[in-house]
Amino acid sequence: MNAAQLSLDNIERFGEYPSTWFEDRSYTNVQLYHYACRFAETLRQHGVKSGDGVVVMMLNSPAVNAAFIAIWKLGAVIIPVTPMWNAREVHYVLEDSGASFAITSPELAARLKEASSELPNFREVLCIGESADATNIEAEIEASTEFTPLIEREASDLAMLLYTSGTTGNPKGVMLSHDNMIFVADALYERNASVGPIRSLSVLPMSHVYGVLMMNLGYRMGNSSTILKHFDAGKVLSLIESFKVQRLAFVPTMLTMLINHPDREKYDYSSLETVGTGGAPLAESTRLEFERLFHCKVKQGYGLSETAGALTTYYPDEDYRVGSVGRAMIGFEICAMDFSNQILPAGETGELCTRGRHVMLGYLNKPEATRDTIIDGWLHTGDIGHVDADGYVFITDRKKELVIKGGENISPREIEEGLYAHPAIAEAAVFGIPDEIFGENLAAAVVLRAGHSLTEDELKSFIGGYVTKFKVPAKIIFMDALPKGPSGKILKRAIRDQVVSD
Ligand code: AMP
């Protein structure tokens, strides 16, 4: 079992078809597979072998997809790294993972060279394009033979090391096996098989598990996709029309950006059927507004790096249950547990836990963190929520984001829902700040929609009509934009640090 087989199965099942568009070129699935094979042979010539860790740090492009298949073919381990990280952060990943190679593009090569200096295990920075700081392998790939054997892997062999940031300390390397990758792609395919091959856009970063899962799902469904280097709301709007996009996979902030984009009324979106969102909470008012403006369905899914991506979703024709992220996929168990790790009855709120073949192998070099997270086979997600009697999952909050004001647990999400319901609010984040009297209090950061104005007092009084007075944020700050992580998630910690230090 080798996850590289996903791309071969795609050809076997669908034959040759135009699968990928990027900038001014298109490629068939067979052309891309041959590219991946030549890529694998080039990596092999440079010394990449089974079990080696290979960092891929690039903006999205067909080369990234080919690099992933090439690394898997050789039995090596993909270590995707976001191009947003600086040399110190990348150095940490290289050191912790013991990676021996990195693949990058010219604009990032200098950073990788700096990050990889003085690491005894590290061998070479390889570059797709010309750079003074790395070995350009473009011509070698072009000239390589297409026949590199696919190395057999055991189900539990490591396929990917994904670094995710927790609330404290350095990022943790989530170890995902070949079985994790294939099992989750197949489960998501089972959910979506009835809609057949579709046209889509690849805008999620391939350095995030959600982007990787969408690539794998595309192989299974036989999809055609236009790859965008990174998310650009204006480009997405025009491409929905020109590429006749049917389905999109987004994080919630992307919906907000499309809703608020000045070009929104310029294009025809009649091809668009469904937008799936995940990775962060989606405010119900945003969902409804997107559906109204774009005449499509918006449905939430839920997943973690630690579960190789998706955990719960909806079937395409399944009715949306307001506030729910859908039901666990086939073969996935999910429940809420109390703080003594006992499974709670349907409807009761606790920590969401999951069990099955999608659960990661553990965190690299962090046995204690692994033991705290996987208990008796159940992965503890750190998310608070409940599962209703029909199996629909509801997430109330992140365990660590709950604000405890004067002993009362308050869910920031409830207040965020209220803020998003105000017509002048484009983006909102609610979080806890230290408070002398209550221990903790609530604060909010908001971004206004273009052309709107609002005072802090006006917004407080609006929220006072939505939640009890006790839950009205003590402080609300107005920002031009909320800071976001590589996958588009709002970085509450960074905002809170700024508010607290002001
Ligand atoms: P990551 O490993 O970066 O994908 O982050 C996983 C975390 O994202 C989960 O533990 C949740 O806290 C959050 N998350 C993912 N999907 C959703 C969703 N639909 N609603 C709320 N939170 C979500």
Side-chain angles (χ1 to χ4, degrees):
M1 171 182 291
N2 183 324
Q5 187 68 36
L6 288 164
S7 64
L8 271 172
D9 289 353
N10 167 269
I11 296 169
E12 186 71 29
R13 196 176 290 176
F14 299 98
E16 184 166 16
Y17 69 93
S19 64
T20 307
W21 280 257
F22 180 66
E23 296 179 339
D24 50 3
R25 277 197 67 179
S26 71
Y27 307 78
T28 70
N29 52 347
V30 173
Q31 285 168 336
L32 274 184
Y33 182 69
H34 285 163
Y35 177 31
C37 293
R38 294 194 306 272
F39 208 132
E41 181 54 24
T42 305
L43 295 180
R44 203 177 66 81
Q45 298 283 342
H46 280 260
V48 175
K49 56 183 191 330
S50 178
D52 280 348
V54 183
V55 160
V56 180
M57 184 171 171
M58 291 171 81
L59 292 173
N60 291 351
S61 74
V64 176
N65 299 31
F68 278 23
I69 295 299
I71 295 167
W72 276 338
K73 270 198 96 177
L74 296 173
V77 179
I78 303 169
I79 310 172
V81 171
T82 168
M84 283 171 79
W85 279 357
N86 64 28
R88 187 193 57 78
E89 292 164 307
V90 179
H91 179 84
Y92 173 79
V93 170
L94 293 173
E95 190 169 38
D96 186 60
S97 64
S100 1
F101 292 87
I103 303 170
T104 194
S105 43
E107 72 280 10
L108 298 167
R111 210 183 307 159
L112 266 165
K113 186 181 176 194
E114 184 188 342
S116 59
S117 63
E118 291 169 39
L119 288 173
N121 265 335
F122 191 82
R123 295 186 49 188
E124 198 175 10
V125 181
L126 306 170
C127 190
I128 308 298
E130 203 49 52
S131 163
D133 299 299
T135 314
N136 181 2
I137 53 169
E138 250 185 339
E140 285 174 64
I141 295 175
E142 212 45 55
S144 258
T145 148
E146 280 162 15
F147 302 101
T148 313
L150 187 142
I151 305 285
E152 253 320 296
R153 297 274 79 187
E154 295 296 324
S156 62
D157 279 341
L158 191 58
M160 184 170 279
L161 245 184
L162 261 175
Y163 279 81
T164 72
S165 299
T167 33
T168 51
N170 284 317
K172 296 195 280 284
V174 172
M175 297 190 284
L176 298 173
S177 68
H178 284 266
D179 188 47
N180 288 150
M181 309 297 315
I182 295 173
F183 179 66
V184 177
D186 282 341
L188 197 55
Y189 172 59
E190 186 277 333
R191 278 278 139 114
N192 291 288
S194 64
V195 290
I198 49 113
R199 297 169 73 81
S200 185
L201 298 180
S202 302
V203 295
L204 296 162
M206 292 294 284
S207 50
H208 192 268
V209 69
Y210 195 4
V212 178
L213 180 59
M214 287 303 124
M215 174 185 81
N216 291 345
L217 178 66
Y219 289 132
R220 280 293 189 245
M221 289 182 64
N223 293 347
S224 313
S225 188
T226 294
I227 297 179
L228 258 71
K229 268 189 182 168
H230 50 74
F231 181 79
D232 175 331
K235 274 196 190 139
V236 169
L237 289 172
S238 78
L239 277 165
I240 296 175
E241 177 182 287
S242 61
F243 194 62
K244 297 199 174 20
V245 170
Q246 294 165 286
R247 294 181 134 219
L248 289 166
F250 271 3
V251 293
T253 47
M254 294 174 177
L255 273 77
T256 316
M257 288 187 219
L258 293 200
I259 290 173
N260 293 313
H261 198 277
D263 292 347
R264 195 195 67 226
E265 287 178 11
K266 250 171 125 172
Y267 304 103
D268 171 18
Y269 307 117
S270 54
S271 60
L272 196 59
E273 293 160 11
T274 305
V275 177
T277 84
L282 172 69
E284 181 59 9
S285 54
T286 306
R287 193 182 74 82
L288 291 175
E289 193 175 8
F290 197 94
E291 285 194 339
R292 183 176 63 78
L293 293 171
F294 291 85
H295 306 289
C296 65
K297 288 201 180 99
V298 177
K299 285 181 180 169
Q300 286 200 76
Y302 161 55
L304 292 83
S305 303
E306 288 86 340
T307 64
L311 182 54
T312 69
T313 60
Y314 286 85
Y315 283 98
D317 53 359
E318 191 174 359
D319 287 337
Y320 188 73
R321 199 166 281 205
V322 173
S324 172
V325 294
R327 290 178 296 163
M329 299 194 295
I330 302 284
F332 294 49
E333 287 179 84
I334 190 162
C335 67
M337 284 195 191
D338 65 16
F339 292 120
S340 53
N341 301 334
Q342 298 301 310
I343 297 179
L344 292 163
E348 285 193 26
T349 297
E351 181 173 12
L352 294 172
C353 297
T354 183
R355 193 163 65 166
R357 279 168 55 193
H358 55 297
V359 171
M360 66 166 178
L361 301 170
Y363 296 115
L364 182 74
N365 303 330
K366 292 194 167 46
E368 212 174 303
T370 304
R371 273 196 302 276
D372 290 348
T373 307
I374 306 174
I375 303 168
D376 297 330
W378 288 93
L379 178 96
H380 288 241
T381 64
D383 294 310
I384 303 291
H386 70 272
V387 184
D388 76 10
D390 299 322
Y392 285 89
V393 176
F394 293 78
I395 305 171
T396 337
D397 244 302
R398 273 307 283 163
K399 201 167 156 186
K400 294 193 177 99
E401 281 178 9
L402 279 182
V403 178
I404 306 176
K405 178 177 175 185
E408 182 129 349
N409 283 6
I410 302 176
S411 156
R413 274 206 59 192
E414 187 189 353
I415 300 145
E416 285 163 9
E417 287 278 348
L419 289 168
Y420 274 110
H422 193 291
I425 299 295
E427 282 188 307
V430 174
F431 44 90
I433 50 170
D435 185 282
E436 274 182 25
I437 298 167
F438 294 113
E440 233 183 339
N441 210 331
L442 292 147
V446 296
V447 176
L448 293 181
R449 287 190 176 174
H452 285 78
S453 65
L454 198 64
T455 66
E456 185 176 355
D457 284 343
E458 283 167 346
L459 195 50
K460 281 184 179 171
S461 111
F462 175 82
I463 280 294
Y466 195 88
V467 291
T468 68
K469 200 161 166 270
F470 191 68
K471 295 185 189 173
V472 173
K475 188 171 184 176
I476 302 180
I477 60 161
F478 293 85
M479 299 179 87
D480 294 335
L482 300 185
K484 309 216 172 56
S487 64
K489 287 192 203 194
I490 295 169
L491 298 175
K492 287 194 187 182
R493 248 197 309 163
I495 310 173
R496 186 186 51 213
D497 292 349
Q498 187 183 325
V499 170
V500 170
S501 67
D502 276 352

